[in-house]
Amino acid sequence: MLPDLSEYNWVIPDFVWELSEHIDLEKLAKALPEMEEIAKLLPDLDKIGENFSFLKSILSSGLSLGSEVKGASGLHLLLETSGEPPLNATDAAAAAAAAQDSSDKQYKKQGLLGELIVIQQQIQRHEEEVRQAAAANSARPPPPPEPAPSPPPNPSLSPPQQKRKSSDKERLDQLQEELLRTQLKYQRMLERLEKENKELRKVVLQKDDKGIHQRKVKKSLIDMYSEVLDILSDYDSNYNTQDHLPRVVVVGDQSAGKTSVLEMIAQARIFPRGSGEMMTRSPVKVTLSEGPHHVAMFKDSGREFDLSKEDDLAALRREIELRMRKSVKEGQTVSPETISLSVKGPGIQRMVLVDLPGVISTVTAGMAADTKETIFSISKAYMQNPNAIILCIQDGSVDAERSIVTDLVSQMDPQGKRTIFVLTKVDLAEKNLASPSRIQQIVEGKLFPMKALGYFAVVTGKGSSGESIDSIKDYEEEFFQNSRLLRDGMLKAHQVTTKNLSLAVSDCFWKMVRESVEQQADVFKASRFNLETEWKNNYPRLRELDRNELFEKAKNEILDEVISLSQVTPKHWEAILQKKLWERVSTHVIENIYLPAAQTMNSGTFNTTVDIKLKQWTDKQLPHKALEVAWETLQEEFARFMAEYKGKDQDDIFDKLKEAVKDESIKRHKWNERAMDSLRVIQHNALEDRSITDKPQWDAAIQFMEETLQARLNDTESVIGDMVGPDWKQRWMNWTNRTPEQHIRNETKTELERLLKLHEDHTAYLANDEVTTVRKNLEGRGVEVDPVLIKDTWHQLYRRHFLQKALSHCNLCKRGFYYYQRHFVDSELECNDVVLFWRIQRMLGITANTLRQQLTNTEVRRLEKNVKEVLEDFGEDTEKKTHLITGRRVQLAEDLKKVREIQEKLEAFIEALHKEK
């Protein structure tokens, strides 16, 4: 089957003219070292010399080189000379034979590039002859053979006598054989020139690294563009400002060979792989650029992986797999989070590709239920960009009807204006398919309803994960040299190999970039104007601080507030600690120590009971209570300073953040438990001391005792009032009445008060016969009462009675310091309860002083350290900052910063792009 030669032009790929397009040849000629130095670095010295001679002859003769892409893939190459029209296949075929001969001699004198031009012209002539012979053969069935057109002067052709004796079919076969041989020779010479060009560029780039020859090379341009894409990937767009900047989106069915194609373009086995297993779990953006060394690097890491070393390659694959798994949330299989990677190396075509997870038809065991829909959603999100180039990968070893991705691509790009179709595993396809013409249908776009800009067939290895890139290249080249698909004209030479694919994709990518980047810059410029206008109207007096800047401002304020804790005076700490500690332990002291001891008959029993109970309390509860009080006091003071710091300059936008920092810092703070043992000893010693040294201490203890007992008496009066209800005055003033229960309690109270008046020294508990007497007296007045209610009411009445007597006794003890000094000898006045309260008061003071020292010397500093650690952790947690610093003002400042950064980088990129032209 013959190819459609009328639409096919044999062309030279772009890299042949790359030096003249993108390098200032005049400066390069001056900057190049002597030939002896180059000879030490590069192989094939004769050919390198020829290339330099030819390049300098171009400079001197004024020859200009340009390139453009077209053909079956929509790519064509154009060679121009100054002052002359472009040389293409049609013009070459129409040129006169004499002009061709003279042109051949002229170009052959100019070295390897000249030989390539001669071969290209020969290919064009052979194509024209094959086309004419095919047309003649199909136009007149079985007539006598007409004279064939004279072949071009080539010693390898058969003698004219043998051609005249052969049939038209034989002549057609011979012409096709000659065309194939010429094409293969052309391809080999291109590869040779590419290798020498690659070595030469490596030398130039290395000189740039050393500062010998300063110029902007392509890698800086693609890196600038990649930075813009990285910023856009993190930008939550408002005002419908969408990311329409070009990139190459690699899509395909699972295990179709997407990753292998990308690796061949990147010239390194950089991705993890598995047999039939989903390996690409998140989008991977790969920025390819040229550089003197073959290295890879993640955008957020400083580590550089040397791709020429197998250990670094293995480490890179592990790192990519680890990042993919980290990006996948729990319960999911794939993630939309993009991993950004850059790959540099000699001869690598510069472009930005995004490798997407493979499209699946069925969710298998171990996958999330929505995996299929998630992959479709991710793929559509990238492909719906009208400037994205879709690299559609189809597995040639399986039936085309099983493909899912082709329908998806057809939906996103129905006209095929930005789609490049790639058929992988062509070696298996040729081996397994009964009809090789089916492959031709695929690469001509006749089998699928999907349209494409171009079609390519590639081989990416034999299926072994241990194959090197060089061995895969050799295998691919060997396969296509011997393939009947190419030999029979089913495939055209520029449609095969990943090398030609890489050139085509790179050219399409940069063409799309040049056509769309300025329009996208205008979109962001308009978005910036809208955002700035909104800020001026809503926040005219505020600076445009983004989330990170606001966090730093809040961080400084919080640290200032924490430092204020160290400025609290010792007196203030001790006063707060002593007050809170007494509030915490006063109930235990009164109910469990003082009242039981005070109801004893003599001072000896009182002191013995007090000492035993104080010892038990100190051993088990008191140190714990003291540390709890100290910890709560530190928290309250910290919260108080943060609340009181608010003033006219305080920004309410920080409130949520400050509260979170306070809570997390307190949560992390652990009190030094080792201080408990020493505190227990201090408290025990303080309570053991009974020696009141002077009258002021005695008076202070009496005052402390009076205040404590009076507070308890007030509480007891309040409880009794609630039990019996309002008195007659309250009932008359407020128009309220007692409940039936309050009436019963009031009658019981009256009866019990009579009992207390008769027996003022009554014990704390009622005897059973007394309870019976009270109940019968109440029944005599028509009041039915339960014995439990009688005892409950008696408890509160006796408590009030006892506290009133204790207060009276306390008043008498004000003049008892003299008797205390004589140990109450020959005195009816005993004030042991005053001594107890002095011991308690002294213990509170000493404990407060000890806790204050621990707070100021240790705990405040530890809390400050915790706050700093929390702030550091929050500062590194983007999600946490986004949650704690919110509001339209913050989002507007974030958008302004991003849009400005994107616009500035786009403008710098556009300027560099224009300079490169």
Side-chain angles (χ1 to χ4, degrees):
M1 182 179 292
L2 292 173
D4 187 2
L5 299 173
S6 61
E7 297 182 1
Y8 168 60
N9 294 331
W10 262 99
V11 297
I12 299 176
D14 246 0
F15 69 82
V16 175
W17 317 117
E18 202 175 30
L19 288 172
S20 62
E21 281 186 2
H22 303 294
I23 298 178
D24 189 335
L25 294 176
E26 183 177 354
K27 293 182 179 179
L28 177 62
K30 296 177 181 179
L32 288 174
E34 297 297 329
M35 292 305 304
E36 290 79 2
E37 296 181 16
I38 293 295
K40 297 176 183 178
L41 298 173
L42 300 177
D44 201 350
L45 302 178
D46 295 335
K47 289 303 179 182
I48 292 296
E50 292 175 9
N51 289 339
F52 276 116
S53 301
F54 181 50
L55 288 175
K56 292 195 175 183
S57 68
I58 291 174
L59 296 174
S60 60
S61 62
L63 183 63
S64 65
L65 301 174
S67 66
E68 180 184 356
V69 185
K70 186 180 175 184
S73 62
L75 313 167
H76 68 119
L77 199 60
L78 188 60
L79 177 65
E80 297 181 10
T81 57
S82 58
E84 296 181 0
L87 178 62
N88 53 35
T90 306
D91 297 334
Q100 292 290 348
D101 293 339
S102 62
S103 176
D104 290 354
K105 294 178 182 179
Q106 175 187 358
Y107 283 124
K108 285 182 179 180
K109 293 179 180 179
Q110 294 175 335
L112 188 57
L113 287 175
E115 293 181 20
L116 281 172
I117 297 172
V118 172
I119 294 175
Q120 184 198 24
Q121 293 172 350
Q122 291 177 358
I123 291 174
Q124 292 169 349
R125 290 199 298 272
H126 288 318
E127 289 172 350
E128 182 64 21
E129 290 171 1
V130 172
R131 187 186 64 79
Q132 291 175 359
N137 187 32
S138 60
R140 45 178 190 76
E146 293 184 5
S150 59
N154 193 320
S156 64
L157 293 177
S158 305
Q161 295 82 4
Q162 295 178 3
K163 291 184 180 179
R164 283 193 295 270
K165 296 178 182 179
S166 62
S167 65
D168 286 348
K169 187 176 183 305
E170 291 174 344
R171 172 169 175 72
L172 190 58
D173 292 340
Q174 290 174 357
L175 287 173
Q176 286 182 343
E177 287 289 335
E178 181 65 27
L179 176 60
L180 181 60
R181 285 195 297 271
T182 309
Q183 290 172 349
L184 293 176
K185 180 181 178 182
Y186 170 77
Q187 190 70 23
R188 284 193 295 270
M189 294 188 69
L190 284 179
E191 292 171 358
R192 181 179 174 185
L193 181 61
E194 180 188 10
K195 180 179 179 181
E196 295 177 358
N197 179 32
K198 180 178 177 180
E199 293 293 333
L200 179 59
R201 291 186 64 82
K202 182 176 180 179
V203 173
V204 175
L205 290 170
Q206 287 174 337
K207 286 183 176 293
D208 284 345
D209 286 346
K210 297 176 182 178
I212 297 175
H213 181 63
Q214 297 296 331
R215 64 180 179 85
K216 290 186 178 179
V217 294
K218 292 181 181 179
K219 65 175 183 179
S220 62
L221 191 63
I222 191 66
D223 287 343
M224 292 168 65
Y225 185 74
S226 180
E227 286 178 6
V228 176
L229 297 183
D230 285 336
I231 298 171
L232 284 171
S233 67
D234 300 329
Y235 176 52
D236 184 17
S237 179
N238 290 321
Y239 297 97
N240 296 320
T241 302
Q242 299 177 358
D243 173 15
H244 287 168
L245 289 173
R247 71 264 281 158
V248 181
V249 180
V250 186
V251 296
D253 298 326
Q254 184 179 341
S255 301
K258 297 184 294 74
T259 300
S260 298
V261 170
L262 203 155
E263 286 181 331
M264 292 295 291
I265 295 175
Q267 300 180 19
R269 308 299 296 267
I270 58 178
F271 290 104
R273 51 188 28 81
S275 179
E277 179 185 357
M278 177 182 289
M279 298 306 297
T280 305
R281 296 179 177 270
S282 65
V284 181
K285 181 177 77 69
V286 183
T287 303
L288 300 178
S289 59
E290 194 172 28
H293 307 291
H294 202 186
V295 295
M297 182 183 296
F298 293 99
K299 79 166 186 176
D300 57 353
S301 173
R303 179 178 178 183
E304 196 172 71
F305 297 88
D306 188 346
L307 301 184
S308 62
K309 298 178 180 178
E310 188 56 40
D311 290 344
D312 278 23
L313 275 171
L316 177 61
R317 289 192 290 266
R318 287 194 300 270
E319 180 67 18
I320 292 175
E321 184 174 6
L322 180 62
R323 286 174 179 253
M324 284 184 181
R325 295 189 182 279
K326 282 185 176 180
S327 68
V328 177
K329 296 181 179 179
E330 186 176 355
Q332 298 295 314
T333 306
V334 294
S335 167
E337 184 178 333
T338 303
I339 298 172
S340 184
L341 176 71
S342 64
V343 177
K344 295 179 172 63
I348 293 181
Q349 297 299 313
R350 52 181 186 153
M351 66 186 96
V352 177
L353 303 100
V354 182
D355 186 21
L356 299 179
V359 178
I360 60 174
S361 58
T362 305
V363 176
T364 59
M367 292 185 178
D370 62 345
T371 300
K372 179 180 177 180
E373 290 74 17
T374 304
I375 294 175
F376 268 82
S377 175
I378 294 173
S379 300
K380 287 181 178 179
Y382 277 91
M383 288 192 291
Q384 69 184 4
N385 177 358
N387 296 320
I389 298 168
I390 303 172
L391 196 61
C392 179
I393 309 297
Q394 168 67 34
D395 188 347
S397 65
V398 300
D399 295 335
E401 290 78 8
R402 293 168 56 186
S403 175
I404 307 171
V405 72
T406 50
D407 292 337
L408 180 61
V409 173
S410 297
Q411 295 174 14
M412 307 309 295
D413 184 26
Q415 301 301 320
K417 294 182 178 180
R418 52 189 180 89
T419 300
I420 296 177
F421 181 86
V422 182
L423 186 68
T424 62
K425 307 178 185 179
V426 181
D427 53 341
L428 299 178
E430 184 184 45
K431 179 180 178 181
N432 298 333
L433 289 179
S435 174
S437 61
R438 189 174 175 84
I439 298 177
Q440 183 180 9
Q441 287 181 293
I442 294 175
V443 297
E444 289 180 353
K446 297 178 180 178
L447 187 63
F448 295 112
M450 183 192 76
K451 298 179 182 179
L453 182 66
Y455 298 82
F456 286 85
V458 299
V459 174
T460 55
K462 300 178 182 179
S464 172
S465 60
E467 291 179 284
S468 66
I469 294 296
D470 291 336
S471 64
I472 296 175
K473 284 182 179 179
D474 294 340
Y475 173 70
E476 183 183 43
E477 180 182 350
E478 180 182 357
F479 168 76
F480 282 117
Q481 285 179 356
N482 301 321
S483 173
R484 57 179 294 199
L485 298 171
L486 197 61
R487 187 172 60 249
D488 294 345
M490 298 181 187
L491 295 177
K492 299 173 184 177
H494 69 280
Q495 287 182 288
V496 299
T497 73
T498 50
K499 183 188 304 178
N500 290 335
L501 169 65
S502 175
L503 292 167
V505 173
S506 177
D507 286 334
C508 284
F509 169 75
W510 284 104
K511 181 181 178 183
M512 187 71 78
V513 168
R514 289 186 174 93
E515 290 176 352
S516 62
V517 68
E518 293 190 8
Q519 179 183 358
Q520 289 300 301
D522 292 339
V523 171
F524 283 104
K525 185 176 182 180
S527 177
R528 174 178 175 175
F529 175 79
N530 294 337
L531 293 171
E532 288 177 341
T533 302
E534 182 180 355
W535 184 275
K536 290 177 183 177
N537 292 333
N538 292 283
Y539 312 104
R541 298 179 180 274
L542 296 176
R543 291 172 53 206
E544 297 173 7
L545 300 179
D546 61 22
R547 186 170 281 108
N548 290 331
E549 292 169 333
L550 287 171
F551 180 82
E552 289 300 319
K553 182 179 178 182
K555 178 180 177 181
N556 293 331
E557 288 187 7
I558 293 171
L559 292 176
D560 289 342
E561 294 161 9
V562 175
I563 292 175
S564 300
L565 277 175
S566 61
Q567 299 173 357
V568 177
T569 62
K571 184 178 180 181
H572 179 76
W573 276 121
E574 291 184 17
I576 295 176
L577 288 167
Q578 187 167 346
K579 179 181 177 183
K580 291 183 68 66
L581 181 58
W582 176 238
E583 290 174 356
R584 183 66 56 85
V585 303
S586 60
T587 300
H588 180 85
V589 170
I590 299 299
E591 303 296 334
N592 297 328
I593 299 177
Y594 171 66
L595 290 179
Q599 294 172 15
T600 58
M601 301 303 297
N602 54 65
S603 60
T605 307
F606 177 88
N607 291 330
T608 302
T609 304
V610 165
D611 290 344
I612 292 173
K613 290 184 176 294
L614 286 177
K615 180 68 166 58
Q616 293 173 346
W617 182 46
T618 307
D619 290 341
K620 297 180 179 180
Q621 299 181 21
L622 183 56
H624 294 279
K625 296 289 185 182
L627 290 183
E628 288 178 5
V629 166
W631 177 219
E632 292 174 5
T633 303
L634 180 61
Q635 296 180 44
E636 292 175 3
E637 287 298 296
F638 180 39
R640 181 176 67 84
F641 273 100
M642 294 190 73
E644 291 180 353
Y645 193 82
K646 289 185 177 181
K648 62 178 182 179
D649 296 330
Q650 173 68 21
D651 200 333
D652 293 338
I653 206 169
F654 299 148
D655 290 350
K656 196 173 181 180
L657 172 63
K658 289 185 175 182
E659 189 67 23
V661 171
K662 183 194 74 174
D663 293 343
E664 183 64 22
S665 301
I666 292 173
K667 181 180 177 182
R668 294 187 186 185
H669 187 83
K670 302 296 181 184
W671 194 273
N672 187 1
E673 298 293 339
R674 291 177 298 179
M676 186 179 298
D677 295 334
S678 59
L679 181 61
R680 181 181 289 108
V681 174
I682 293 172
Q683 291 173 333
H684 181 73
N685 293 335
L687 291 172
E688 284 290 320
D689 189 7
R690 294 185 179 87
S691 57
I692 305 177
T693 57
D694 52 28
K695 185 70 165 55
Q697 291 185 23
W698 180 268
D699 293 340
I702 289 178
Q703 182 181 357
F704 176 54
M705 181 178 173
E706 281 184 331
E707 291 174 354
T708 302
L709 295 179
Q710 187 63 52
R712 295 290 165 175
L713 179 60
N714 294 339
D715 293 341
T716 304
E717 292 281 8
S718 177
V719 171
I720 294 173
D722 293 338
M723 288 172 60
V724 301
D727 57 14
W728 67 269
K729 183 178 181 181
Q730 291 173 333
R731 293 197 303 272
W732 187 81
M733 295 291 294
N734 300 328
W735 289 81
T736 57
N737 291 316
R738 292 187 175 122
T739 64
E741 183 181 357
Q742 289 175 339
H743 177 73
I744 294 172
R745 284 191 177 273
N746 183 62
E747 292 295 330
T748 305
K749 167 180 167 287
T750 303
E751 187 66 26
L752 292 173
E753 284 177 341
R754 289 197 191 101
L755 179 62
L756 272 176
K757 190 174 290 185
L758 294 173
H759 305 283
E760 291 188 356
D761 296 330
H762 200 288
T763 61
Y765 301 99
L766 280 175
N768 290 332
D769 56 343
E770 291 176 322
V771 173
T772 302
T773 302
V774 170
R775 185 164 62 85
K776 287 182 178 182
N777 291 339
L778 291 173
E779 288 176 354
R781 296 203 299 269
V783 179
E784 295 289 336
V785 64
D786 186 75
V788 175
L789 185 144
I790 295 173
K791 291 180 179 180
D792 185 43
T793 306
W794 168 259
H795 174 73
Q796 296 300 330
L797 291 176
Y798 180 81
R799 182 184 180 87
R800 182 181 66 179
H801 173 72
F802 177 83
L803 291 173
Q804 289 172 344
K805 287 179 60 178
L807 280 171
S808 300
H809 179 71
C810 182
N811 189 42
L812 293 175
C813 287
K814 289 182 179 179
R815 54 186 176 83
F817 181 67
Y818 169 75
Y819 299 104
Y820 164 76
Q821 289 179 318
R822 298 179 58 187
H823 305 288
F824 302 107
V825 175
D826 299 329
S827 172
E828 295 180 358
L829 184 64
E830 291 185 358
C831 298
N832 292 310
D833 48 357
V834 177
V835 177
L836 169 63
F837 277 90
W838 177 83
R839 292 164 70 183
I840 296 295
Q841 186 181 39
R842 185 168 181 272
M843 181 274 299
L844 292 174
I846 292 175
T847 301
N849 180 268
T850 303
L851 293 175
R852 187 268 306 169
Q853 292 182 32
Q854 186 175 357
L855 281 171
T856 55
N857 296 337
T858 306
E859 303 304 330
V860 170
R861 295 178 183 176
R862 291 178 63 233
L863 180 61
E864 182 178 351
K865 181 181 178 182
N866 288 339
V867 170
K868 290 180 180 179
E869 291 176 354
V870 170
L871 288 171
E872 291 296 328
D873 292 344
F874 283 8
E876 295 173 0
D877 191 339
T878 304
E879 291 184 4
K880 181 75 72 174
K881 286 192 291 186
T882 304
H883 173 69
L884 295 176
I885 304 179
T886 58
R888 178 56 189 159
R889 169 185 153 196
V890 182
Q891 191 59 50
L892 187 59
E894 285 282 305
D895 292 344
L896 266 171
K897 178 184 177 182
K898 289 290 185 183
V899 169
R900 284 185 182 131
E901 186 178 10
I902 292 168
Q903 184 191 359
E904 290 169 1
K905 288 188 177 295
L906 274 177
E907 290 176 351
F909 171 76
I910 292 170
E911 182 181 356
L913 190 65
H914 289 163
K915 287 181 179 179
E916 190 183 64
K917 289 182 180 180

